[in-house]
Amino acid sequence: MSPTDVRLAQFNHTAAPIKRVAFVGNYLPAQCGIATFTTDITEAMASLYPDTTFIVLPTSDPDVTGGYPERVRYIIERENIDSYHQAAYFLNMNHVDLVCLQHEYGIFGGSSGSHILSFLQALHIPVVTTFHTVLVEPTKTQESVLQEIINLSDRLVVMTRRSMEILQDRYKVRRQKADLIPHGIPDVPFIDPNFYKDQLGVEGKYVLLTFGLLSANKGIEYVIQALPKIIDKHPDVVYIVLGATHPNVLRTEGESYRESLVKLAEDLGVQEHVIFHNRFVSLDKLIEYISATDIYVTPYLNVEQSVSGTLSYTVGAGKAVISTPYWHAEELLAEGRGLLVPFRDSEAIADQALYLLENDVKRHTLRKRAYLKSREMVWEEAARKYMASFTNAREVRRVHPQPAKSTTRLKDSALDLPTLNLDHLQRMTDDTGILQHAIYGIPRFDHGYATDDNARALIATILLEDSKEHMVQARELASRYLAYLWHAFYRKTGRFRNVMSYDRKWLDDAGSEDSHGRALWALGTVIGRSRLRGLRDMADQLFQRALPAARRFRSPRACAFALRGISEYLKRVSGDIRAAKVREILVTFLVELYEKKHDSDWLWFEHYLTYSNAKLPHSLLICGPAQSNDKYTQIGLDSLEWLTQVQTSEQGYFLPIGNAGFYHRGEQRARFDQQPIEAYATLSACIEAYDITGDEKWHKEAQKAFDWFLGYNDLSLSLYDPLTGGCRDGLHPDRINQNQGAESTVAFLMSLMELSSMEKTLHPTKPELAKEELG
């Protein structure tokens, strides 16, 4: 047993059997090399492991019109990033043990296939990724995508030693994480080429063959240019070019490459010796063509071609091969298993072809060496090695669970943000307002309504007034939330009541200072931002009645919420002296708290961190520039920077203060329960800090907080649910809270809106999507 086999098998003696595996990659009848590979390895494994269920998730292909076989359970819409989230959700919910990703840049949507990252980030099951291309000199985006896939995968598979070396040297992959499994091949007998020639109409001929999807990087013209010299000595030679034009080439260039080859053959007078078969053939038919071949030629032009399935198939059939020295050919044809010729050298192709045609002993020696070497590549052997890799990946994950995934992001991350979905917000809202809680994604009537949540929802819908797609819906919802606040205000006390039962009975006479502060924040946002005069006027009446109570606030968070509202209000009514006075009272209170409580290693307003912590520095960041007070701004920046350090895990992902105990100075912090409102508060504050300073670190901190929603967290689980549009309520030590309440959902929606706005400002133009790699 080789060292690699020992490593693959190290957990096998104790591992429970793998019951369900999902392959993600193109699949027949899609016409491409990845589809053929995924189909072949899946079917080989299904045959060898009948007790394991194998399913496939391909990306959508406009050229597939007849439907997929039953093994395909889910089709990922290539350019729809939400479809990638939904596919991950589908696999998570269907108890799949492992995902095997077939990676090639061109088969997934987004810049350089970046949409697949959203899929991987949302998974919470082990992933084994097969790299079909490993580039030495990728573009920056290609490198970011590949590096992130490496980080998100439990194990990696490459098919050549060269690819393994590149992974280790260029991408710093530990050898222990990667497996070398050669491209699989059909197990065909070693037979005389003449056996099949009569069936293909080439009896009595020497057959040269090139097969695969046609594109200009195949170099077929150089073989045709070599034919006059070959035919001059061997007029019984025919050259078969087997394969349809690559679908992507066909869409953009039509048959121009094939037509140029036909014309070239005519111009050289060898048209009777060149046979074009413009079709994508079945495996059985392909084996017939390969078996009838005397010399297989791969004149490819790309030296960095990591893998060629066509080369593997012909070597596996024991064929004499002439090839240009691209990476896979150099490795597979070494030690006398084939002949190499320089790139774009028709003269060399002719000379080597004549050498083999005139030297039967040499030709048969190449055949035998190739056939014997390839026995370790048959699909059954490949299937065994993949299952060993799968078992290894799952057992390593079990023994060493991944606390979270990488926080690396692409520069064009705005492309990878989820699409705004208001379905769950609408679902949680009735004629009264938004309900507080949900059971899973279903509104929970018995817990009624809260001013807190209706205030939050009002802010979110006002921010949506600029959205053409959601403007009408947002205005309708905003009117309900504002009506709730109007009804919640109790003139007798000058305070907002907070909790209302489902049968519309108030359960308190006055809510907390925090709920009052949130209501002021919402009302100020309506006044400062809404384009609807009716909403603004109604909000203004209520704001004026509710503002005096804020003077007496002693809750730092209530002060911070109220300051947000007052600042929004003053953007429209800047000369209101009373509002400005209340602002000064509240901001002074926060600054005095900070000056009294903070020291060099605890830059905070209290001796503890509880909930909505980032709102405190955020309020000072808003007031500092508005009041031209650098002191306020600096305290805001210092305390926020300290907070982001406290809220960053050792692995670099966002780690909010847990609600089950919070964090009292000098005591152990609570790691759970982590709640979405903390991620939103931090994100929003960091965006404010970026707007003030222009410092990229705040942009990264905002992204990091948002990534927490998508699975960059202690459990590597996504809190956002793309199927409902809702957000789960938090992380417990051992599980996710599956309920999707109002607070969590609004926190996610506001985070998405604010980060999307920031990213659009930073990246105003959408980069061209990467084209599929051909070869």
Side-chain angles (χ1 to χ4, degrees), residues 392-428:
N392 197 344
R394 192 177 66 158
E395 290 305 301
V396 169
R397 173 74 75 94
R398 183 181 64 82
V399 176
H400 303 290
Q402 295 181 349
K405 296 167 181 173
S406 163
T407 56
T408 302
R409 265 186 171 267
L410 303 180
K411 286 187 177 181
D412 56 352
S413 59
L415 295 176
D416 293 325
L417 294 177
T419 304
L420 187 66
N421 180 353
L422 300 186
D423 288 353
H424 194 58
L425 184 69
Q426 184 74 61
R427 188 181 301 114
M428 291 290 290

mmCIF file of all heavy atoms in Angstrom, residues 392-428:
data_model
loop_
_atom_site.group_PDB
_atom_site.id
_atom_site.type_symbol
_atom_site.label_atom_id
_atom_site.label_comp_id
_atom_site.label_asym_id
_atom_site.label_seq_id
_atom_site.Cartn_x
_atom_site.Cartn_y
_atom_site.Cartn_z
ATOM 1 N N ASN A 392 -12.355 9.789 4.892
ATOM 2 C CA ASN A 392 -11.338 10.565 5.600
ATOM 3 C C ASN A 392 -11.866 11.949 5.947
ATOM 4 O O ASN A 392 -11.744 12.423 7.090
ATOM 5 C CB ASN A 392 -10.094 10.665 4.715
ATOM 6 C CG ASN A 392 -8.862 11.083 5.490
ATOM 7 O OD1 ASN A 392 -8.943 11.572 6.602
ATOM 8 N ND2 ASN A 392 -7.703 10.896 4.877
ATOM 9 N N ALA A 393 -12.474 12.617 4.970
ATOM 10 C CA ALA A 393 -12.992 13.968 5.186
ATOM 11 C C ALA A 393 -14.046 13.999 6.281
ATOM 12 O O ALA A 393 -14.032 14.868 7.163
ATOM 13 C CB ALA A 393 -13.575 14.516 3.882
ATOM 14 N N ARG A 394 -14.945 13.030 6.252
ATOM 15 C CA ARG A 394 -16.024 13.034 7.242
ATOM 16 C C ARG A 394 -15.500 12.737 8.640
ATOM 17 O O ARG A 394 -15.933 13.347 9.623
ATOM 18 C CB ARG A 394 -17.103 12.028 6.866
ATOM 19 C CG ARG A 394 -18.358 12.198 7.705
ATOM 20 C CD ARG A 394 -19.459 11.268 7.316
ATOM 21 N NE ARG A 394 -19.115 9.888 7.592
ATOM 22 C CZ ARG A 394 -20.023 8.916 7.756
ATOM 23 N NH1 ARG A 394 -21.308 9.195 7.641
ATOM 24 N NH2 ARG A 394 -19.652 7.679 8.001
ATOM 25 N N GLU A 395 -14.549 11.815 8.739
ATOM 26 C CA GLU A 395 -14.031 11.472 10.051
ATOM 27 C C GLU A 395 -13.182 12.593 10.644
ATOM 28 O O GLU A 395 -13.225 12.847 11.846
ATOM 29 C CB GLU A 395 -13.227 10.171 9.958
ATOM 30 C CG GLU A 395 -14.091 8.955 9.711
ATOM 31 C CD GLU A 395 -15.183 8.807 10.757
ATOM 32 O OE1 GLU A 395 -14.849 8.695 11.954
ATOM 33 O OE2 GLU A 395 -16.369 8.841 10.389
ATOM 34 N N VAL A 396 -12.414 13.261 9.792
ATOM 35 C CA VAL A 396 -11.648 14.411 10.282
ATOM 36 C C VAL A 396 -12.592 15.494 10.783
ATOM 37 O O VAL A 396 -12.362 16.101 11.842
ATOM 38 C CB VAL A 396 -10.718 14.956 9.177
ATOM 39 C CG1 VAL A 396 -10.133 16.301 9.585
ATOM 40 C CG2 VAL A 396 -9.597 13.966 8.893
ATOM 41 N N ARG A 397 -13.668 15.737 10.063
ATOM 42 C CA ARG A 397 -14.649 16.740 10.503
ATOM 43 C C ARG A 397 -15.285 16.325 11.834
ATOM 44 O O ARG A 397 -15.548 17.168 12.695
ATOM 45 C CB ARG A 397 -15.720 16.912 9.424
ATOM 46 C CG ARG A 397 -16.891 17.810 9.818
ATOM 47 C CD ARG A 397 -16.505 19.274 9.825
ATOM 48 N NE ARG A 397 -16.397 19.802 8.482
ATOM 49 C CZ ARG A 397 -17.383 20.421 7.827
ATOM 50 N NH1 ARG A 397 -18.552 20.577 8.420
ATOM 51 N NH2 ARG A 397 -17.192 20.882 6.617
ATOM 52 N N ARG A 398 -15.531 15.029 11.997
ATOM 53 C CA ARG A 398 -16.157 14.566 13.231
ATOM 54 C C ARG A 398 -15.224 14.731 14.419
ATOM 55 O O ARG A 398 -15.627 15.166 15.497
ATOM 56 C CB ARG A 398 -16.569 13.099 13.090
ATOM 57 C CG ARG A 398 -17.306 12.544 14.303
ATOM 58 C CD ARG A 398 -17.659 11.077 14.095
ATOM 59 N NE ARG A 398 -16.470 10.257 13.991
ATOM 60 C CZ ARG A 398 -15.781 9.801 15.041
ATOM 61 N NH1 ARG A 398 -16.155 10.126 16.265
ATOM 62 N NH2 ARG A 398 -14.722 9.038 14.874
ATOM 63 N N VAL A 399 -13.955 14.367 14.238
ATOM 64 C CA VAL A 399 -12.987 14.440 15.332
ATOM 65 C C VAL A 399 -12.548 15.873 15.595
ATOM 66 O O VAL A 399 -12.341 16.280 16.741
ATOM 67 C CB VAL A 399 -11.768 13.550 15.011
ATOM 68 C CG1 VAL A 399 -10.709 13.686 16.100
ATOM 69 C CG2 VAL A 399 -12.199 12.095 14.865
ATOM 70 N N HIS A 400 -12.418 16.654 14.515
ATOM 71 C CA HIS A 400 -11.973 18.050 14.638
ATOM 72 C C HIS A 400 -12.988 18.950 13.941
ATOM 73 O O HIS A 400 -12.771 19.380 12.809
ATOM 74 C CB HIS A 400 -10.596 18.233 14.013
ATOM 75 C CG HIS A 400 -9.547 17.343 14.592
ATOM 76 N ND1 HIS A 400 -9.060 17.499 15.867
ATOM 77 C CD2 HIS A 400 -8.908 16.270 14.062
ATOM 78 C CE1 HIS A 400 -8.148 16.568 16.105
ATOM 79 N NE2 HIS A 400 -8.035 15.812 15.038
ATOM 80 N N PRO A 401 -14.128 19.206 14.574
ATOM 81 C CA PRO A 401 -15.156 20.026 13.913
ATOM 82 C C PRO A 401 -14.642 21.406 13.574
ATOM 83 O O PRO A 401 -13.868 22.000 14.324
ATOM 84 C CB PRO A 401 -16.284 20.091 14.956
ATOM 85 C CG PRO A 401 -15.617 19.791 16.253
ATOM 86 C CD PRO A 401 -14.495 18.854 15.949
ATOM 87 N N GLN A 402 -15.064 21.915 12.442
ATOM 88 C CA GLN A 402 -14.646 23.250 12.023
ATOM 89 C C GLN A 402 -15.461 24.284 12.763
ATOM 90 O O GLN A 402 -16.677 24.338 12.615
ATOM 91 C CB GLN A 402 -14.836 23.422 10.512
ATOM 92 C CG GLN A 402 -13.961 22.513 9.690
ATOM 93 C CD GLN A 402 -14.169 22.727 8.207
ATOM 94 O OE1 GLN A 402 -15.094 23.409 7.783
ATOM 95 N NE2 GLN A 402 -13.311 22.131 7.410
ATOM 96 N N PRO A 403 -14.820 25.154 13.562
ATOM 97 C CA PRO A 403 -15.582 26.156 14.310
ATOM 98 C C PRO A 403 -16.207 27.200 13.421
ATOM 99 O O PRO A 403 -17.229 27.769 13.731
ATOM 100 C CB PRO A 403 -14.532 26.785 15.228
ATOM 101 C CG PRO A 403 -13.234 26.567 14.516
ATOM 102 C CD PRO A 403 -13.390 25.254 13.807
ATOM 103 N N ALA A 404 -15.584 27.480 12.299
ATOM 104 C CA ALA A 404 -16.134 28.460 11.372
ATOM 105 C C ALA A 404 -15.339 28.398 10.100
ATOM 106 O O ALA A 404 -14.293 27.763 10.027
ATOM 107 C CB ALA A 404 -16.087 29.872 11.945
ATOM 108 N N LYS A 405 -15.841 29.071 9.097
ATOM 109 C CA LYS A 405 -15.183 29.084 7.802
ATOM 110 C C LYS A 405 -14.413 30.373 7.628
ATOM 111 O O LYS A 405 -14.560 31.325 8.377
ATOM 112 C CB LYS A 405 -16.230 28.905 6.698
ATOM 113 C CG LYS A 405 -16.893 27.530 6.806
ATOM 114 C CD LYS A 405 -18.127 27.423 5.943
ATOM 115 C CE LYS A 405 -18.757 26.045 6.109
ATOM 116 N NZ LYS A 405 -20.042 25.944 5.437
ATOM 117 N N SER A 406 -13.611 30.411 6.602
ATOM 118 C CA SER A 406 -12.747 31.563 6.344
ATOM 119 C C SER A 406 -13.555 32.830 6.166
ATOM 120 O O SER A 406 -14.696 32.815 5.735
ATOM 121 C CB SER A 406 -11.933 31.298 5.078
ATOM 122 O OG SER A 406 -11.386 32.464 4.574
ATOM 123 N N THR A 407 -12.923 33.954 6.483
ATOM 124 C CA THR A 407 -13.589 35.238 6.295
ATOM 125 C C THR A 407 -13.027 36.007 5.116
ATOM 126 O O THR A 407 -13.242 37.203 4.987
ATOM 127 C CB THR A 407 -13.464 36.096 7.565
ATOM 128 O OG1 THR A 407 -12.081 36.226 7.894
ATOM 129 C CG2 THR A 407 -14.182 35.453 8.720
ATOM 130 N N THR A 408 -12.292 35.329 4.227
ATOM 131 C CA THR A 408 -11.775 36.003 3.036
ATOM 132 C C THR A 408 -12.936 36.375 2.119
ATOM 133 O O THR A 408 -13.825 35.585 1.875
ATOM 134 C CB THR A 408 -10.817 35.082 2.260
ATOM 135 O OG1 THR A 408 -9.759 34.718 3.138
ATOM 136 C CG2 THR A 408 -10.265 35.769 1.039
ATOM 137 N N ARG A 409 -12.918 37.583 1.600
ATOM 138 C CA ARG A 409 -13.957 38.008 0.666
ATOM 139 C C ARG A 409 -13.326 38.533 -0.604
ATOM 140 O O ARG A 409 -12.188 38.972 -0.622
ATOM 141 C CB ARG A 409 -14.816 39.124 1.276
ATOM 142 C CG ARG A 409 -16.069 38.606 1.940
ATOM 143 C CD ARG A 409 -16.904 39.784 2.382
ATOM 144 N NE ARG A 409 -18.196 39.337 2.835
ATOM 145 C CZ ARG A 409 -19.254 39.263 2.057
ATOM 146 N NH1 ARG A 409 -19.177 39.582 0.798
ATOM 147 N NH2 ARG A 409 -20.410 38.872 2.553
ATOM 148 N N LEU A 410 -14.105 38.493 -1.680
ATOM 149 C CA LEU A 410 -13.638 39.057 -2.940
ATOM 150 C C LEU A 410 -13.843 40.560 -2.930
ATOM 151 O O LEU A 410 -14.713 41.091 -2.252
ATOM 152 C CB LEU A 410 -14.419 38.448 -4.101
ATOM 153 C CG LEU A 410 -14.365 36.923 -4.196
ATOM 154 C CD1 LEU A 410 -15.190 36.477 -5.389
ATOM 155 C CD2 LEU A 410 -12.951 36.433 -4.324
ATOM 156 N N LYS A 411 -13.046 41.263 -3.703
ATOM 157 C CA LYS A 411 -13.212 42.714 -3.778
ATOM 158 C C LYS A 411 -14.589 43.085 -4.303
ATOM 159 O O LYS A 411 -15.148 44.107 -3.961
ATOM 160 C CB LYS A 411 -12.122 43.310 -4.674
ATOM 161 C CG LYS A 411 -10.748 43.339 -4.010
ATOM 162 C CD LYS A 411 -9.760 44.091 -4.871
ATOM 163 C CE LYS A 411 -8.410 44.191 -4.178
ATOM 164 N NZ LYS A 411 -7.436 44.946 -4.991
ATOM 165 N N ASP A 412 -15.121 42.241 -5.193
ATOM 166 C CA ASP A 412 -16.421 42.550 -5.776
ATOM 167 C C ASP A 412 -17.523 41.801 -5.032
ATOM 168 O O ASP A 412 -18.432 41.268 -5.618
ATOM 169 C CB ASP A 412 -16.455 42.179 -7.266
ATOM 170 C CG ASP A 412 -16.093 40.720 -7.513
ATOM 171 O OD1 ASP A 412 -15.679 40.044 -6.541
ATOM 172 O OD2 ASP A 412 -16.223 40.273 -8.657
ATOM 173 N N SER A 413 -17.453 41.811 -3.678
ATOM 174 C CA SER A 413 -18.380 41.016 -2.891
ATOM 175 C C SER A 413 -19.823 41.465 -3.039
ATOM 176 O O SER A 413 -20.731 40.724 -2.703
ATOM 177 C CB SER A 413 -17.979 41.079 -1.413
ATOM 178 O OG SER A 413 -17.999 42.417 -0.951
ATOM 179 N N ALA A 414 -20.070 42.676 -3.532
ATOM 180 C CA ALA A 414 -21.453 43.105 -3.730
ATOM 181 C C ALA A 414 -22.177 42.162 -4.664
ATOM 182 O O ALA A 414 -23.385 41.973 -4.564
ATOM 183 C CB ALA A 414 -21.500 44.532 -4.282
ATOM 184 N N LEU A 415 -21.435 41.544 -5.590
ATOM 185 C CA LEU A 415 -22.057 40.608 -6.527
ATOM 186 C C LEU A 415 -22.585 39.385 -5.805
ATOM 187 O O LEU A 415 -23.477 38.712 -6.291
ATOM 188 C CB LEU A 415 -21.034 40.179 -7.581
ATOM 189 C CG LEU A 415 -20.526 41.254 -8.526
ATOM 190 C CD1 LEU A 415 -19.461 40.665 -9.433
ATOM 191 C CD2 LEU A 415 -21.657 41.820 -9.350
ATOM 192 N N ASP A 416 -22.023 39.055 -4.635
ATOM 193 C CA ASP A 416 -22.344 37.825 -3.964
ATOM 194 C C ASP A 416 -23.295 38.023 -2.792
ATOM 195 O O ASP A 416 -23.527 37.093 -2.034
ATOM 196 C CB ASP A 416 -21.061 37.145 -3.490
ATOM 197 C CG ASP A 416 -20.207 36.672 -4.645
ATOM 198 O OD1 ASP A 416 -20.764 36.246 -5.656
ATOM 199 O OD2 ASP A 416 -18.985 36.757 -4.515
ATOM 200 N N LEU A 417 -23.836 39.205 -2.595
ATOM 201 C CA LEU A 417 -24.813 39.423 -1.544
ATOM 202 C C LEU A 417 -26.145 38.817 -1.967
ATOM 203 O O LEU A 417 -26.506 38.828 -3.138
ATOM 204 C CB LEU A 417 -24.982 40.924 -1.278
ATOM 205 C CG LEU A 417 -23.763 41.650 -0.702
ATOM 206 C CD1 LEU A 417 -24.051 43.131 -0.567
ATOM 207 C CD2 LEU A 417 -23.368 41.065 0.640
ATOM 208 N N PRO A 418 -26.889 38.267 -1.006
ATOM 209 C CA PRO A 418 -28.199 37.707 -1.363
ATOM 210 C C PRO A 418 -29.135 38.773 -1.930
ATOM 211 O O PRO A 418 -28.984 39.971 -1.663
ATOM 212 C CB PRO A 418 -28.722 37.184 -0.017
ATOM 213 C CG PRO A 418 -27.515 37.021 0.834
ATOM 214 C CD PRO A 418 -26.557 38.098 0.402
ATOM 215 N N THR A 419 -30.100 38.326 -2.688
ATOM 216 C CA THR A 419 -31.131 39.214 -3.216
ATOM 217 C C THR A 419 -32.111 39.582 -2.103
ATOM 218 O O THR A 419 -32.497 38.728 -1.303
ATOM 219 C CB THR A 419 -31.894 38.524 -4.362
ATOM 220 O OG1 THR A 419 -30.957 38.116 -5.355
ATOM 221 C CG2 THR A 419 -32.930 39.450 -4.973
ATOM 222 N N LEU A 420 -32.489 40.847 -2.051
ATOM 223 C CA LEU A 420 -33.423 41.301 -1.026
ATOM 224 C C LEU A 420 -34.771 40.604 -1.202
ATOM 225 O O LEU A 420 -35.357 40.614 -2.280
ATOM 226 C CB LEU A 420 -33.597 42.820 -1.113
ATOM 227 C CG LEU A 420 -34.415 43.460 0.008
ATOM 228 C CD1 LEU A 420 -33.689 43.334 1.335
ATOM 229 C CD2 LEU A 420 -34.675 44.928 -0.305
ATOM 230 N N ASN A 421 -35.264 40.005 -0.135
ATOM 231 C CA ASN A 421 -36.503 39.229 -0.177
ATOM 232 C C ASN A 421 -37.365 39.648 1.012
ATOM 233 O O ASN A 421 -37.004 39.414 2.168
ATOM 234 C CB ASN A 421 -36.157 37.738 -0.109
ATOM 235 C CG ASN A 421 -37.386 36.844 -0.156
ATOM 236 O OD1 ASN A 421 -38.521 37.313 -0.105
ATOM 237 N ND2 ASN A 421 -37.160 35.539 -0.249
ATOM 238 N N LEU A 422 -38.520 40.243 0.730
ATOM 239 C CA LEU A 422 -39.403 40.739 1.792
ATOM 240 C C LEU A 422 -40.531 39.767 2.130
ATOM 241 O O LEU A 422 -41.446 40.119 2.879
ATOM 242 C CB LEU A 422 -40.018 42.081 1.369
ATOM 243 C CG LEU A 422 -39.046 43.229 1.072
ATOM 244 C CD1 LEU A 422 -39.829 44.512 0.807
ATOM 245 C CD2 LEU A 422 -38.062 43.431 2.210
ATOM 246 N N ASP A 423 -40.449 38.550 1.631
ATOM 247 C CA ASP A 423 -41.549 37.603 1.831
ATOM 248 C C ASP A 423 -41.839 37.375 3.314
ATOM 249 O O ASP A 423 -43.000 37.374 3.745
ATOM 250 C CB ASP A 423 -41.234 36.262 1.167
ATOM 251 C CG ASP A 423 -41.297 36.325 -0.349
ATOM 252 O OD1 ASP A 423 -41.710 37.389 -0.873
ATOM 253 O OD2 ASP A 423 -40.937 35.331 -1.005
ATOM 254 N N HIS A 424 -40.792 37.162 4.104
ATOM 255 C CA HIS A 424 -41.045 36.841 5.510
ATOM 256 C C HIS A 424 -41.484 38.081 6.287
ATOM 257 O O HIS A 424 -42.319 37.975 7.207
ATOM 258 C CB HIS A 424 -39.794 36.243 6.151
ATOM 259 C CG HIS A 424 -40.067 35.591 7.479
ATOM 260 N ND1 HIS A 424 -40.974 34.569 7.631
ATOM 261 C CD2 HIS A 424 -39.567 35.838 8.726
ATOM 262 C CE1 HIS A 424 -41.024 34.199 8.900
ATOM 263 N NE2 HIS A 424 -40.182 34.962 9.589
ATOM 264 N N LEU A 425 -40.968 39.227 5.936
ATOM 265 C CA LEU A 425 -41.436 40.463 6.563
ATOM 266 C C LEU A 425 -42.934 40.632 6.321
ATOM 267 O O LEU A 425 -43.693 40.974 7.237
ATOM 268 C CB LEU A 425 -40.666 41.656 6.000
ATOM 269 C CG LEU A 425 -40.966 43.014 6.635
ATOM 270 C CD1 LEU A 425 -40.431 43.067 8.058
ATOM 271 C CD2 LEU A 425 -40.372 44.143 5.802
ATOM 272 N N GLN A 426 -43.349 40.383 5.092
ATOM 273 C CA GLN A 426 -44.773 40.479 4.756
ATOM 274 C C GLN A 426 -45.571 39.416 5.507
ATOM 275 O O GLN A 426 -46.663 39.684 6.022
ATOM 276 C CB GLN A 426 -44.958 40.300 3.248
ATOM 277 C CG GLN A 426 -46.389 40.471 2.758
ATOM 278 C CD GLN A 426 -46.818 41.927 2.756
ATOM 279 O OE1 GLN A 426 -46.238 42.756 2.070
ATOM 280 N NE2 GLN A 426 -47.855 42.236 3.523
ATOM 281 N N ARG A 427 -45.005 38.220 5.592
ATOM 282 C CA ARG A 427 -45.693 37.108 6.263
ATOM 283 C C ARG A 427 -45.907 37.401 7.744
ATOM 284 O O ARG A 427 -46.915 37.004 8.325
ATOM 285 C CB ARG A 427 -44.868 35.832 6.089
ATOM 286 C CG ARG A 427 -45.524 34.554 6.562
ATOM 287 C CD ARG A 427 -44.604 33.354 6.360
ATOM 288 N NE ARG A 427 -44.260 33.208 4.951
ATOM 289 C CZ ARG A 427 -43.035 33.363 4.461
ATOM 290 N NH1 ARG A 427 -42.023 33.664 5.265
ATOM 291 N NH2 ARG A 427 -42.799 33.217 3.171
ATOM 292 N N MET A 428 -44.965 38.090 8.360
ATOM 293 C CA MET A 428 -45.041 38.377 9.794
ATOM 294 C C MET A 428 -45.937 39.579 10.106
ATOM 295 O O MET A 428 -46.175 39.883 11.278
ATOM 296 C CB MET A 428 -43.637 38.648 10.339
ATOM 297 C CG MET A 428 -42.727 37.430 10.363
ATOM 298 S SD MET A 428 -43.217 36.212 11.601
ATOM 299 C CE MET A 428 -42.798 37.084 13.109
#
